[in-house]
Amino acid sequence: MSYRDQQKYLDELRKYEKKFDRKELDDYKMYVKMHKDEEEFDSVTLRRLEELYEKYYEPVDKHKYDSFFKKKDIL
């Protein structure tokens, strides 16, 4: 995983920081500190970060915006 991917996961998880339980919050703070020290995450750390990301991140449903961007029929 590259530095940019780590940054992406950490930035997205920052939004959900208030929802973390105590253990997840401690892990998250450790990941941020490692990232600031410019350490590359090992496979175990990376997997735990991805699991945390998948647990809290919910992609936006873009189908609800389709009605705003449809072309109008001109008759």
Side-chain angles (χ1 to χ4, degrees), residues 20-64:
F20 295 161
D21 62 9
R22 186 69 182 154
K23 170 100 171 79
E24 291 170 342
L25 184 61
D26 291 340
D27 288 343
Y28 174 73
K29 288 180 179 181
M30 180 184 64
Y31 301 147
V32 170
K33 184 179 179 194
M34 288 173 62
H35 187 70
K36 284 182 182 179
D37 293 339
E38 297 182 5
E39 291 183 30
E40 191 167 324
F41 291 177
D42 60 352
S43 61
V44 175
T45 306
L46 179 59
R47 188 176 65 239
R48 290 172 55 196
L49 180 64
E50 288 175 345
E51 288 172 359
L52 195 62
Y53 177 80
E54 290 173 2
K55 181 178 178 181
Y56 288 101
Y57 179 72
E58 296 176 8
V60 175
D61 182 24
K62 295 180 181 177
H63 293 289
K64 63 183 179 183

Side-chain angles (χ1 to χ4, degrees), residues 62 64-72:
K62 295 180 181 177
K64 63 183 179 183
Y65 298 117
D66 285 345
S67 64
F68 294 112
F69 299 103
K70 287 187 177 181
K71 289 186 175 182
K72 296 181 181 178

Side-chain angles (χ1 to χ4, degrees), residues 5-20:
D5 294 333
Q6 291 177 14
Q7 183 68 40
K8 181 187 101 171
Y9 284 135
L10 292 173
D11 285 344
E12 285 296 324
L13 285 172
R14 185 178 308 142
K15 299 174 188 174
Y16 306 105
E17 195 172 356
K18 294 178 184 177
K19 294 182 181 180
F20 295 161

